[in-house]
Structure formats: C-alpha cells, structure tokens
Amino acid sequence: PNVNTPAILDILKEKNVKATFFMLGANIISHKDIAKRLSDEGHGLGVHSMTHDKKMVYTSPYSFLSEMTRANDALYEATGKKTLLLRAPYGSKPYMNQETRDLAVSWGYRIWDWNVDSSDSIKKKTAPEEVYNEVVSQVANKDEAVILFHDKEHTLEALPKIIDHL
C-alpha cells in the first residue's frame, strides 16, 4: 500500500472488481489503515517480502522465508489476517532457485507470478495510455490473465479504462 492505493481501491469498488495485493511489509507498516481497508473490502492478500532488496531476500532460502514471514507478521498486525500467497520480488525467475521454492512450498506458501506485465514499473513516467496498451495487447490471446500492476499514478489513471475493456 501507498498514497495511490486508496484511489485504486475507490476505482475497484466503483467497478465492483476484486484484486489481490502483494504487499511489502515495510509499506504495510507505513500504511496500516490502507492495508486494513483493502482487507475489509475483500481483496486478496499476499506478501511480497519485507524489503524488496534482492541482496537481503535472496541470500539464502531461509532469508527469503524470513522476509516473507516478517511481511506476513506486519500484515497480521494491520489486518488480523495472515496469507499463504506470495509473489517473489522480481518474479520467481531469475533469483528464486529450486531450494528456495521447495522450502517456501513446504511452509505452505503458494507462489504467484503473472502472465501479463502492464509495464507500469519500468519507467518513472509511463503514460497511462502505454499501460493500457500493454495490458490490452497482452491479454488479447489469453484465456486467463494474471496482470501485474503497481500502485503508481499512471496505473491509477489507466485502470478504469482497462477494467472496462476487460
């Protein structure tokens, strides 16, 4: 969660759409009220590490799990809920090795990746039209789409049109 998340939640509510939020523990701590709101409104909860620092997250399988557990603890503190959904920082490839994956699964976690990248995190000033075009072009030939978005201003501006298209 960040300063853009409440407006994103408003759009989702207006459009009667649910989303899954993979959250950084540090942001949950900074925005407990927003994390609580998205939980209360029935959105999916996932963790995305505590720091998003690849040197800290991927030092070992246990450092990976520590990052996810600490984020999950922050989630519980803010919402009263824990989750078994996680999204590895930068996706499960190239940094997550088989040993890390196996350990996370043995702890009950479900590792979630995406098959559509909105490209909203690549550049600081991506135009909302670029985000829209990326999503529309990638979902065109898919039966099912898991779309990667970030809580960015340009994503916020593109989201209503994307939802209407889908």
mmCIF file of all heavy atoms in Angstrom, residues 52-100:
data_model
loop_
_atom_site.group_PDB
_atom_site.id
_atom_site.type_symbol
_atom_site.label_atom_id
_atom_site.label_comp_id
_atom_site.label_asym_id
_atom_site.label_seq_id
_atom_site.Cartn_x
_atom_site.Cartn_y
_atom_site.Cartn_z
ATOM 1 N N HIS A 52 12.117 -5.896 -0.388
ATOM 2 C CA HIS A 52 12.280 -5.918 -1.842
ATOM 3 C C HIS A 52 13.742 -5.714 -2.234
ATOM 4 O O HIS A 52 14.063 -5.374 -3.371
ATOM 5 C CB HIS A 52 11.394 -4.875 -2.529
ATOM 6 C CG HIS A 52 11.027 -5.233 -3.936
ATOM 7 N ND1 HIS A 52 11.824 -4.936 -5.022
ATOM 8 C CD2 HIS A 52 9.939 -5.851 -4.437
ATOM 9 C CE1 HIS A 52 11.252 -5.361 -6.122
ATOM 10 N NE2 HIS A 52 10.097 -5.923 -5.790
ATOM 11 N N ASP A 53 14.644 -5.947 -1.325
ATOM 12 C CA ASP A 53 16.079 -5.818 -1.574
ATOM 13 C C ASP A 53 16.613 -7.200 -1.945
ATOM 14 O O ASP A 53 16.703 -8.084 -1.098
ATOM 15 C CB ASP A 53 16.771 -5.293 -0.313
ATOM 16 C CG ASP A 53 18.273 -5.135 -0.470
ATOM 17 O OD1 ASP A 53 18.885 -5.808 -1.334
ATOM 18 O OD2 ASP A 53 18.840 -4.338 0.288
ATOM 19 N N LYS A 54 16.963 -7.382 -3.225
ATOM 20 C CA LYS A 54 17.343 -8.725 -3.681
ATOM 21 C C LYS A 54 18.534 -9.298 -2.920
ATOM 22 O O LYS A 54 18.627 -10.499 -2.738
ATOM 23 C CB LYS A 54 17.547 -8.780 -5.184
ATOM 24 C CG LYS A 54 18.694 -8.016 -5.727
ATOM 25 C CD LYS A 54 18.716 -8.130 -7.243
ATOM 26 C CE LYS A 54 19.613 -7.086 -7.825
ATOM 27 N NZ LYS A 54 19.423 -6.909 -9.234
ATOM 28 N N LYS A 55 19.444 -8.442 -2.449
ATOM 29 C CA LYS A 55 20.579 -8.948 -1.679
ATOM 30 C C LYS A 55 20.117 -9.526 -0.339
ATOM 31 O O LYS A 55 20.694 -10.484 0.156
ATOM 32 C CB LYS A 55 21.615 -7.848 -1.462
ATOM 33 C CG LYS A 55 22.343 -7.476 -2.728
ATOM 34 C CD LYS A 55 23.350 -6.385 -2.490
ATOM 35 C CE LYS A 55 24.016 -6.018 -3.808
ATOM 36 N NZ LYS A 55 24.876 -4.859 -3.676
ATOM 37 N N MET A 56 19.092 -8.943 0.248
ATOM 38 C CA MET A 56 18.578 -9.451 1.522
ATOM 39 C C MET A 56 17.626 -10.621 1.303
ATOM 40 O O MET A 56 17.653 -11.604 2.034
ATOM 41 C CB MET A 56 17.876 -8.334 2.292
ATOM 42 C CG MET A 56 18.842 -7.245 2.747
ATOM 43 S SD MET A 56 18.020 -5.922 3.625
ATOM 44 C CE MET A 56 17.576 -6.752 5.136
ATOM 45 N N VAL A 57 16.776 -10.520 0.299
ATOM 46 C CA VAL A 57 15.752 -11.544 0.062
ATOM 47 C C VAL A 57 16.378 -12.860 -0.392
ATOM 48 O O VAL A 57 15.999 -13.932 0.080
ATOM 49 C CB VAL A 57 14.718 -11.058 -0.974
ATOM 50 C CG1 VAL A 57 13.732 -12.162 -1.325
ATOM 51 C CG2 VAL A 57 13.981 -9.821 -0.476
ATOM 52 N N TYR A 58 17.335 -12.786 -1.307
ATOM 53 C CA TYR A 58 17.842 -14.000 -1.954
ATOM 54 C C TYR A 58 19.207 -14.468 -1.443
ATOM 55 O O TYR A 58 19.876 -15.244 -2.107
ATOM 56 C CB TYR A 58 17.877 -13.791 -3.465
ATOM 57 C CG TYR A 58 16.495 -13.617 -4.043
ATOM 58 C CD1 TYR A 58 16.051 -12.385 -4.495
ATOM 59 C CD2 TYR A 58 15.616 -14.691 -4.112
ATOM 60 C CE1 TYR A 58 14.771 -12.221 -5.014
ATOM 61 C CE2 TYR A 58 14.335 -14.544 -4.630
ATOM 62 C CZ TYR A 58 13.925 -13.309 -5.077
ATOM 63 O OH TYR A 58 12.648 -13.162 -5.586
ATOM 64 N N THR A 59 19.600 -14.055 -0.253
ATOM 65 C CA THR A 59 20.860 -14.528 0.319
ATOM 66 C C THR A 59 20.841 -16.042 0.508
ATOM 67 O O THR A 59 21.829 -16.718 0.258
ATOM 68 C CB THR A 59 21.135 -13.832 1.672
ATOM 69 O OG1 THR A 59 21.218 -12.435 1.445
ATOM 70 C CG2 THR A 59 22.407 -14.329 2.309
ATOM 71 N N SER A 60 19.705 -16.553 0.955
ATOM 72 C CA SER A 60 19.544 -17.999 1.171
ATOM 73 C C SER A 60 18.052 -18.306 1.163
ATOM 74 O O SER A 60 17.228 -17.385 1.261
ATOM 75 C CB SER A 60 20.146 -18.413 2.516
ATOM 76 O OG SER A 60 19.303 -17.966 3.585
ATOM 77 N N PRO A 61 17.684 -19.582 1.084
ATOM 78 C CA PRO A 61 16.262 -19.924 1.190
ATOM 79 C C PRO A 61 15.644 -19.420 2.495
ATOM 80 O O PRO A 61 14.493 -18.986 2.512
ATOM 81 C CB PRO A 61 16.258 -21.452 1.120
ATOM 82 C CG PRO A 61 17.480 -21.785 0.321
ATOM 83 C CD PRO A 61 18.496 -20.765 0.753
ATOM 84 N N TYR A 62 16.423 -19.445 3.564
ATOM 85 C CA TYR A 62 15.881 -19.007 4.853
ATOM 86 C C TYR A 62 15.756 -17.490 4.930
ATOM 87 O O TYR A 62 14.850 -16.981 5.589
ATOM 88 C CB TYR A 62 16.706 -19.580 6.011
ATOM 89 C CG TYR A 62 16.466 -21.061 6.142
ATOM 90 C CD1 TYR A 62 17.347 -21.980 5.580
ATOM 91 C CD2 TYR A 62 15.329 -21.548 6.779
ATOM 92 C CE1 TYR A 62 17.104 -23.342 5.654
ATOM 93 C CE2 TYR A 62 15.073 -22.906 6.861
ATOM 94 C CZ TYR A 62 15.963 -23.797 6.291
ATOM 95 O OH TYR A 62 15.705 -25.144 6.370
ATOM 96 N N SER A 63 16.620 -16.758 4.249
ATOM 97 C CA SER A 63 16.458 -15.303 4.217
ATOM 98 C C SER A 63 15.194 -14.945 3.438
ATOM 99 O O SER A 63 14.466 -14.017 3.811
ATOM 100 C CB SER A 63 17.691 -14.617 3.628
ATOM 101 O OG SER A 63 17.869 -14.953 2.272
ATOM 102 N N PHE A 64 14.922 -15.696 2.378
ATOM 103 C CA PHE A 64 13.690 -15.488 1.612
ATOM 104 C C PHE A 64 12.472 -15.695 2.517
ATOM 105 O O PHE A 64 11.579 -14.851 2.573
ATOM 106 C CB PHE A 64 13.648 -16.456 0.424
ATOM 107 C CG PHE A 64 12.420 -16.315 -0.428
ATOM 108 C CD1 PHE A 64 12.408 -15.434 -1.492
ATOM 109 C CD2 PHE A 64 11.283 -17.069 -0.179
ATOM 110 C CE1 PHE A 64 11.274 -15.300 -2.284
ATOM 111 C CE2 PHE A 64 10.151 -16.938 -0.961
ATOM 112 C CZ PHE A 64 10.151 -16.047 -2.016
ATOM 113 N N LEU A 65 12.452 -16.805 3.237
ATOM 114 C CA LEU A 65 11.316 -17.082 4.119
ATOM 115 C C LEU A 65 11.226 -16.089 5.262
ATOM 116 O O LEU A 65 10.124 -15.722 5.679
ATOM 117 C CB LEU A 65 11.386 -18.509 4.649
ATOM 118 C CG LEU A 65 10.846 -19.543 3.668
ATOM 119 C CD1 LEU A 65 11.058 -20.942 4.183
ATOM 120 C CD2 LEU A 65 9.384 -19.299 3.365
ATOM 121 N N SER A 66 12.339 -15.634 5.763
ATOM 122 C CA SER A 66 12.323 -14.626 6.816
ATOM 123 C C SER A 66 11.679 -13.340 6.315
ATOM 124 O O SER A 66 10.865 -12.724 7.011
ATOM 125 C CB SER A 66 13.744 -14.348 7.299
ATOM 126 O OG SER A 66 13.755 -13.259 8.202
ATOM 127 N N GLU A 67 12.022 -12.928 5.097
ATOM 128 C CA GLU A 67 11.429 -11.731 4.507
ATOM 129 C C GLU A 67 9.910 -11.889 4.372
ATOM 130 O O GLU A 67 9.151 -10.966 4.662
ATOM 131 C CB GLU A 67 12.040 -11.458 3.134
ATOM 132 C CG GLU A 67 13.425 -10.883 3.200
ATOM 133 C CD GLU A 67 13.433 -9.367 3.187
ATOM 134 O OE1 GLU A 67 12.485 -8.737 2.677
ATOM 135 O OE2 GLU A 67 14.413 -8.790 3.693
ATOM 136 N N MET A 68 9.466 -13.049 3.924
ATOM 137 C CA MET A 68 8.029 -13.277 3.748
ATOM 138 C C MET A 68 7.317 -13.378 5.103
ATOM 139 O O MET A 68 6.218 -12.842 5.279
ATOM 140 C CB MET A 68 7.785 -14.541 2.925
ATOM 141 C CG MET A 68 8.330 -14.471 1.524
ATOM 142 S SD MET A 68 7.718 -13.042 0.573
ATOM 143 C CE MET A 68 8.872 -13.042 -0.787
ATOM 144 N N THR A 69 7.949 -14.029 6.048
ATOM 145 C CA THR A 69 7.349 -14.177 7.376
ATOM 146 C C THR A 69 7.219 -12.837 8.069
ATOM 147 O O THR A 69 6.186 -12.536 8.686
ATOM 148 C CB THR A 69 8.182 -15.156 8.226
ATOM 149 O OG1 THR A 69 8.200 -16.425 7.558
ATOM 150 C CG2 THR A 69 7.606 -15.325 9.615
ATOM 151 N N ARG A 70 8.240 -12.015 7.963
ATOM 152 C CA ARG A 70 8.175 -10.684 8.581
ATOM 153 C C ARG A 70 7.087 -9.826 7.930
ATOM 154 O O ARG A 70 6.348 -9.107 8.609
ATOM 155 C CB ARG A 70 9.540 -9.992 8.504
ATOM 156 C CG ARG A 70 10.566 -10.656 9.434
ATOM 157 C CD ARG A 70 11.988 -10.114 9.293
ATOM 158 N NE ARG A 70 12.055 -8.677 9.268
ATOM 159 C CZ ARG A 70 12.836 -7.987 8.426
ATOM 160 N NH1 ARG A 70 13.604 -8.604 7.553
ATOM 161 N NH2 ARG A 70 12.850 -6.670 8.472
ATOM 162 N N ALA A 71 6.952 -9.932 6.615
ATOM 163 C CA ALA A 71 5.881 -9.208 5.924
ATOM 164 C C ALA A 71 4.522 -9.742 6.364
ATOM 165 O O ALA A 71 3.576 -8.974 6.577
ATOM 166 C CB ALA A 71 6.044 -9.319 4.412
ATOM 167 N N ASN A 72 4.422 -11.057 6.522
ATOM 168 C CA ASN A 72 3.172 -11.667 6.967
ATOM 169 C C ASN A 72 2.834 -11.234 8.395
ATOM 170 O O ASN A 72 1.665 -11.008 8.720
ATOM 171 C CB ASN A 72 3.279 -13.189 6.871
ATOM 172 C CG ASN A 72 2.023 -13.830 6.326
ATOM 173 O OD1 ASN A 72 0.944 -13.247 6.335
ATOM 174 N ND2 ASN A 72 2.168 -15.054 5.866
ATOM 175 N N ASP A 73 3.831 -11.105 9.233
ATOM 176 C CA ASP A 73 3.604 -10.613 10.598
ATOM 177 C C ASP A 73 3.076 -9.179 10.572
ATOM 178 O O ASP A 73 2.170 -8.823 11.333
ATOM 179 C CB ASP A 73 4.885 -10.687 11.424
ATOM 180 C CG ASP A 73 5.308 -12.110 11.757
ATOM 181 O OD1 ASP A 73 4.482 -13.043 11.608
ATOM 182 O OD2 ASP A 73 6.478 -12.291 12.153
ATOM 183 N N ALA A 74 3.619 -8.342 9.693
ATOM 184 C CA ALA A 74 3.138 -6.967 9.554
ATOM 185 C C ALA A 74 1.695 -6.960 9.051
ATOM 186 O O ALA A 74 0.862 -6.169 9.520
ATOM 187 C CB ALA A 74 4.043 -6.180 8.609
ATOM 188 N N LEU A 75 1.404 -7.857 8.118
ATOM 189 C CA LEU A 75 0.035 -7.977 7.604
ATOM 190 C C LEU A 75 -0.926 -8.359 8.727
ATOM 191 O O LEU A 75 -2.006 -7.777 8.850
ATOM 192 C CB LEU A 75 -0.009 -9.011 6.474
ATOM 193 C CG LEU A 75 -1.375 -9.276 5.857
ATOM 194 C CD1 LEU A 75 -1.895 -8.035 5.139
ATOM 195 C CD2 LEU A 75 -1.293 -10.453 4.894
ATOM 196 N N TYR A 76 -0.531 -9.308 9.538
ATOM 197 C CA TYR A 76 -1.375 -9.741 10.645
ATOM 198 C C TYR A 76 -1.608 -8.593 11.634
ATOM 199 O O TYR A 76 -2.727 -8.387 12.104
ATOM 200 C CB TYR A 76 -0.752 -10.948 11.357
ATOM 201 C CG TYR A 76 -1.622 -11.462 12.477
ATOM 202 C CD1 TYR A 76 -2.725 -12.245 12.194
ATOM 203 C CD2 TYR A 76 -1.357 -11.130 13.792
ATOM 204 C CE1 TYR A 76 -3.554 -12.709 13.215
ATOM 205 C CE2 TYR A 76 -2.173 -11.577 14.822
ATOM 206 C CZ TYR A 76 -3.269 -12.369 14.524
ATOM 207 O OH TYR A 76 -4.089 -12.811 15.534
ATOM 208 N N GLU A 77 -0.564 -7.855 11.915
ATOM 209 C CA GLU A 77 -0.692 -6.723 12.837
ATOM 210 C C GLU A 77 -1.683 -5.681 12.308
ATOM 211 O O GLU A 77 -2.451 -5.095 13.061
ATOM 212 C CB GLU A 77 0.669 -6.070 13.062
ATOM 213 C CG GLU A 77 0.570 -4.799 13.826
ATOM 214 C CD GLU A 77 1.498 -4.733 15.012
ATOM 215 O OE1 GLU A 77 2.147 -5.727 15.346
ATOM 216 O OE2 GLU A 77 1.559 -3.656 15.588
ATOM 217 N N ALA A 78 -1.670 -5.455 10.982
ATOM 218 C CA ALA A 78 -2.539 -4.432 10.387
ATOM 219 C C ALA A 78 -3.966 -4.922 10.164
ATOM 220 O O ALA A 78 -4.910 -4.139 10.280
ATOM 221 C CB ALA A 78 -1.951 -3.958 9.064
ATOM 222 N N THR A 79 -4.122 -6.202 9.845
ATOM 223 C CA THR A 79 -5.435 -6.689 9.390
ATOM 224 C C THR A 79 -6.041 -7.785 10.256
ATOM 225 O O THR A 79 -7.216 -8.100 10.102
ATOM 226 C CB THR A 79 -5.338 -7.251 7.959
ATOM 227 O OG1 THR A 79 -4.533 -8.443 7.978
ATOM 228 C CG2 THR A 79 -4.751 -6.227 6.990
ATOM 229 N N GLY A 80 -5.216 -8.414 11.092
ATOM 230 C CA GLY A 80 -5.690 -9.571 11.837
ATOM 231 C C GLY A 80 -5.714 -10.834 10.995
ATOM 232 O O GLY A 80 -6.268 -11.854 11.399
ATOM 233 N N LYS A 81 -5.106 -10.783 9.805
ATOM 234 C CA LYS A 81 -5.090 -11.921 8.880
ATOM 235 C C LYS A 81 -3.667 -12.205 8.422
ATOM 236 O O LYS A 81 -2.852 -11.299 8.293
ATOM 237 C CB LYS A 81 -5.953 -11.644 7.652
ATOM 238 C CG LYS A 81 -7.412 -11.427 7.975
ATOM 239 C CD LYS A 81 -8.173 -11.063 6.721
ATOM 240 C CE LYS A 81 -9.627 -10.750 7.040
ATOM 241 N NZ LYS A 81 -10.332 -10.256 5.855
ATOM 242 N N LYS A 82 -3.409 -13.482 8.157
ATOM 243 C CA LYS A 82 -2.167 -13.892 7.502
ATOM 244 C C LYS A 82 -2.530 -14.463 6.145
ATOM 245 O O LYS A 82 -3.697 -14.716 5.856
ATOM 246 C CB LYS A 82 -1.418 -14.914 8.350
ATOM 247 C CG LYS A 82 -0.760 -14.290 9.565
ATOM 248 C CD LYS A 82 0.333 -15.168 10.118
ATOM 249 C CE LYS A 82 1.072 -14.403 11.211
ATOM 250 N NZ LYS A 82 2.356 -15.007 11.498
ATOM 251 N N THR A 83 -1.536 -14.696 5.324
ATOM 252 C CA THR A 83 -1.769 -15.203 3.979
ATOM 253 C C THR A 83 -0.753 -16.293 3.652
ATOM 254 O O THR A 83 0.318 -16.357 4.259
ATOM 255 C CB THR A 83 -1.661 -14.075 2.939
ATOM 256 O OG1 THR A 83 -2.006 -14.599 1.654
ATOM 257 C CG2 THR A 83 -0.264 -13.478 2.882
ATOM 258 N N LEU A 84 -1.113 -17.121 2.712
ATOM 259 C CA LEU A 84 -0.178 -18.110 2.180
ATOM 260 C C LEU A 84 0.230 -17.767 0.749
ATOM 261 O O LEU A 84 0.974 -18.508 0.124
ATOM 262 C CB LEU A 84 -0.790 -19.514 2.239
ATOM 263 C CG LEU A 84 -0.992 -20.062 3.653
ATOM 264 C CD1 LEU A 84 -1.734 -21.400 3.614
ATOM 265 C CD2 LEU A 84 0.328 -20.210 4.382
ATOM 266 N N LEU A 85 -0.256 -16.643 0.231
ATOM 267 C CA LEU A 85 0.111 -16.204 -1.112
ATOM 268 C C LEU A 85 1.352 -15.328 -1.058
ATOM 269 O O LEU A 85 1.435 -14.419 -0.223
ATOM 270 C CB LEU A 85 -1.013 -15.392 -1.743
ATOM 271 C CG LEU A 85 -2.270 -16.122 -2.148
ATOM 272 C CD1 LEU A 85 -3.282 -15.132 -2.726
ATOM 273 C CD2 LEU A 85 -1.974 -17.208 -3.156
ATOM 274 N N LEU A 86 2.281 -15.575 -1.947
ATOM 275 C CA LEU A 86 3.449 -14.707 -2.036
ATOM 276 C C LEU A 86 3.830 -14.484 -3.485
ATOM 277 O O LEU A 86 3.570 -15.320 -4.347
ATOM 278 C CB LEU A 86 4.623 -15.244 -1.223
ATOM 279 C CG LEU A 86 5.392 -16.481 -1.679
ATOM 280 C CD1 LEU A 86 6.394 -16.168 -2.782
ATOM 281 C CD2 LEU A 86 6.120 -17.082 -0.503
ATOM 282 N N ARG A 87 4.384 -13.337 -3.721
ATOM 283 C CA ARG A 87 4.987 -13.021 -5.011
ATOM 284 C C ARG A 87 6.426 -12.659 -4.739
ATOM 285 O O ARG A 87 6.714 -11.755 -3.958
ATOM 286 C CB ARG A 87 4.270 -11.870 -5.712
ATOM 287 C CG ARG A 87 4.854 -11.612 -7.106
ATOM 288 C CD ARG A 87 3.997 -10.701 -7.942
ATOM 289 N NE ARG A 87 4.114 -9.304 -7.599
ATOM 290 C CZ ARG A 87 5.133 -8.518 -7.944
ATOM 291 N NH1 ARG A 87 6.176 -9.002 -8.620
ATOM 292 N NH2 ARG A 87 5.140 -7.249 -7.608
ATOM 293 N N ALA A 88 7.308 -13.403 -5.348
ATOM 294 C CA ALA A 88 8.738 -13.173 -5.152
ATOM 295 C C ALA A 88 9.143 -11.848 -5.797
ATOM 296 O O ALA A 88 8.691 -11.524 -6.895
ATOM 297 C CB ALA A 88 9.536 -14.319 -5.774
ATOM 298 N N PRO A 89 9.978 -11.062 -5.113
ATOM 299 C CA PRO A 89 10.471 -9.838 -5.742
ATOM 300 C C PRO A 89 11.146 -10.146 -7.075
ATOM 301 O O PRO A 89 11.930 -11.089 -7.187
ATOM 302 C CB PRO A 89 11.482 -9.304 -4.721
ATOM 303 C CG PRO A 89 10.947 -9.791 -3.411
ATOM 304 C CD PRO A 89 10.426 -11.174 -3.719
ATOM 305 N N TYR A 90 10.771 -9.379 -8.096
ATOM 306 C CA TYR A 90 11.255 -9.534 -9.471
ATOM 307 C C TYR A 90 10.714 -10.792 -10.138
ATOM 308 O O TYR A 90 11.192 -11.196 -11.190
ATOM 309 C CB TYR A 90 12.789 -9.512 -9.536
ATOM 310 C CG TYR A 90 13.377 -8.358 -8.780
ATOM 311 C CD1 TYR A 90 13.915 -8.547 -7.507
ATOM 312 C CD2 TYR A 90 13.343 -7.071 -9.295
ATOM 313 C CE1 TYR A 90 14.421 -7.481 -6.778
ATOM 314 C CE2 TYR A 90 13.848 -6.001 -8.570
ATOM 315 C CZ TYR A 90 14.377 -6.210 -7.320
ATOM 316 O OH TYR A 90 14.878 -5.153 -6.600
ATOM 317 N N GLY A 91 9.727 -11.424 -9.542
ATOM 318 C CA GLY A 91 9.178 -12.664 -10.075
ATOM 319 C C GLY A 91 9.985 -13.854 -9.601
ATOM 320 O O GLY A 91 11.047 -13.714 -9.000
ATOM 321 N N SER A 92 9.471 -15.034 -9.859
ATOM 322 C CA SER A 92 10.158 -16.227 -9.363
ATOM 323 C C SER A 92 11.430 -16.537 -10.144
ATOM 324 O O SER A 92 12.241 -17.344 -9.698
ATOM 325 C CB SER A 92 9.218 -17.432 -9.382
ATOM 326 O OG SER A 92 8.815 -17.737 -10.699
ATOM 327 N N LYS A 93 11.628 -15.912 -11.303
ATOM 328 C CA LYS A 93 12.863 -16.060 -12.061
ATOM 329 C C LYS A 93 13.421 -14.672 -12.293
ATOM 330 O O LYS A 93 12.655 -13.743 -12.532
ATOM 331 C CB LYS A 93 12.594 -16.757 -13.391
ATOM 332 C CG LYS A 93 12.163 -18.192 -13.203
ATOM 333 C CD LYS A 93 11.958 -18.875 -14.516
ATOM 334 C CE LYS A 93 11.493 -20.294 -14.229
ATOM 335 N NZ LYS A 93 11.220 -21.055 -15.381
ATOM 336 N N PRO A 94 14.679 -14.461 -12.199
ATOM 337 C CA PRO A 94 15.774 -15.412 -12.203
ATOM 338 C C PRO A 94 16.352 -15.721 -10.827
ATOM 339 O O PRO A 94 17.232 -16.571 -10.707
ATOM 340 C CB PRO A 94 16.837 -14.695 -13.040
ATOM 341 C CG PRO A 94 16.661 -13.252 -12.668
ATOM 342 C CD PRO A 94 15.166 -13.096 -12.428
ATOM 343 N N TYR A 95 15.873 -15.060 -9.767
ATOM 344 C CA TYR A 95 16.566 -15.147 -8.486
ATOM 345 C C TYR A 95 16.138 -16.311 -7.607
ATOM 346 O O TYR A 95 16.914 -16.768 -6.785
ATOM 347 C CB TYR A 95 16.401 -13.840 -7.699
ATOM 348 C CG TYR A 95 16.954 -12.652 -8.442
ATOM 349 C CD1 TYR A 95 16.108 -11.713 -9.017
ATOM 350 C CD2 TYR A 95 18.331 -12.493 -8.598
ATOM 351 C CE1 TYR A 95 16.623 -10.640 -9.712
ATOM 352 C CE2 TYR A 95 18.844 -11.423 -9.306
ATOM 353 C CZ TYR A 95 17.985 -10.496 -9.860
ATOM 354 O OH TYR A 95 18.496 -9.433 -10.556
ATOM 355 N N MET A 96 14.929 -16.781 -7.735
ATOM 356 C CA MET A 96 14.440 -17.839 -6.855
ATOM 357 C C MET A 96 14.902 -19.200 -7.383
ATOM 358 O O MET A 96 14.531 -19.596 -8.487
ATOM 359 C CB MET A 96 12.917 -17.798 -6.778
ATOM 360 C CG MET A 96 12.335 -18.830 -5.840
ATOM 361 S SD MET A 96 10.537 -18.752 -5.846
ATOM 362 C CE MET A 96 10.280 -18.262 -4.170
ATOM 363 N N ASN A 97 15.702 -19.891 -6.590
ATOM 364 C CA ASN A 97 16.166 -21.202 -7.022
ATOM 365 C C ASN A 97 15.218 -22.300 -6.515
ATOM 366 O O ASN A 97 14.292 -22.034 -5.738
ATOM 367 C CB ASN A 97 17.619 -21.456 -6.588
ATOM 368 C CG ASN A 97 17.784 -21.441 -5.078
ATOM 369 O OD1 ASN A 97 16.888 -21.784 -4.317
ATOM 370 N ND2 ASN A 97 18.957 -21.017 -4.620
ATOM 371 N N GLN A 98 15.460 -23.514 -6.947
ATOM 372 C CA GLN A 98 14.566 -24.619 -6.599
ATOM 373 C C GLN A 98 14.531 -24.877 -5.091
ATOM 374 O O GLN A 98 13.476 -25.177 -4.525
ATOM 375 C CB GLN A 98 14.985 -25.908 -7.338
ATOM 376 C CG GLN A 98 13.951 -27.016 -7.231
ATOM 377 C CD GLN A 98 12.642 -26.660 -7.907
ATOM 378 O OE1 GLN A 98 12.628 -26.168 -9.028
ATOM 379 N NE2 GLN A 98 11.535 -26.877 -7.221
ATOM 380 N N GLU A 99 15.664 -24.757 -4.426
ATOM 381 C CA GLU A 99 15.707 -24.977 -2.980
ATOM 382 C C GLU A 99 14.821 -23.956 -2.243
ATOM 383 O O GLU A 99 14.081 -24.312 -1.317
ATOM 384 C CB GLU A 99 17.149 -24.890 -2.475
ATOM 385 C CG GLU A 99 17.300 -25.206 -1.002
ATOM 386 C CD GLU A 99 18.742 -25.075 -0.512
ATOM 387 O OE1 GLU A 99 19.646 -24.721 -1.298
ATOM 388 O OE2 GLU A 99 18.952 -25.319 0.693
ATOM 389 N N THR A 100 14.874 -22.712 -2.676
ATOM 390 C CA THR A 100 14.039 -21.670 -2.071
ATOM 391 C C THR A 100 12.569 -21.949 -2.340
ATOM 392 O O THR A 100 11.728 -21.870 -1.440
ATOM 393 C CB THR A 100 14.433 -20.280 -2.611
ATOM 394 O OG1 THR A 100 15.812 -20.060 -2.321
ATOM 395 C CG2 THR A 100 13.587 -19.189 -1.990
#
